[in-house]
Amino acid sequence: MISELDRVVLTVDLPEYDLKSGDMGTVVLVHQEGLGYEVEFMMIAGETVAIVSLLSSQVREIGDREIAQARILASS
C-alpha cells in the first residue's frame, strides 16, 4: 500500500504539467484510503514542478530492481 511520503512513479503522461510516464514524485496526501493521492513532483535541485491530484491507477510503487533516470524539463 502506498503511504504519505512514499516515492511513486507516474504511469501516464500529464502534458498540462509537463510530466511524463516514469517521472517520480512523493506522495504528500492519501485520499480515501488509497483511491487517490496528492503527489509532488520536483526537479533534482529541489524546485517543485507540480503538486497533482491523481487516481491510484495513475501512479505505482517503485520496484526493487528499478533505476532512476534524469530528463530535461521542456518548459520553464
Side-chain angles (χ1 to χ4, degrees), residues 48-60:
T48 298
V49 174
I51 299 174
V52 186
S53 296
L54 299 168
L55 299 171
S56 60
S57 62
Q58 294 175 298
V59 295
R60 65 173 176 79

Side-chain angles (χ1 to χ4, degrees), residues 24-26 40-50:
M24 291 189 301
T26 302
E40 181 178 19
F41 294 90
M42 299 176 69
M43 292 188 206
I44 291 172
E47 181 182 341
T48 298
V49 174

Side-chain angles (χ1 to χ4, degrees), residues 12-70:
V12 296
D13 289 347
L14 298 175
E16 63 272 30
Y17 299 103
D18 200 16
L19 296 171
K20 295 186 178 186
S21 179
D23 288 347
M24 291 189 301
T26 302
V27 175
V28 294
L29 185 65
V30 177
H31 293 290
Q32 297 179 347
E33 298 180 13
L35 291 178
Y37 305 96
E38 294 287 321
V39 180
E40 181 178 19
F41 294 90
M42 299 176 69
M43 292 188 206
I44 291 172
E47 181 182 341
T48 298
V49 174
I51 299 174
V52 186
S53 296
L54 299 168
L55 299 171
S56 60
S57 62
Q58 294 175 298
V59 295
R60 65 173 176 79
E61 295 180 84
I62 295 175
D64 292 338
R65 301 279 304 149
E66 295 189 71
I67 188 167
Q69 178 180 349

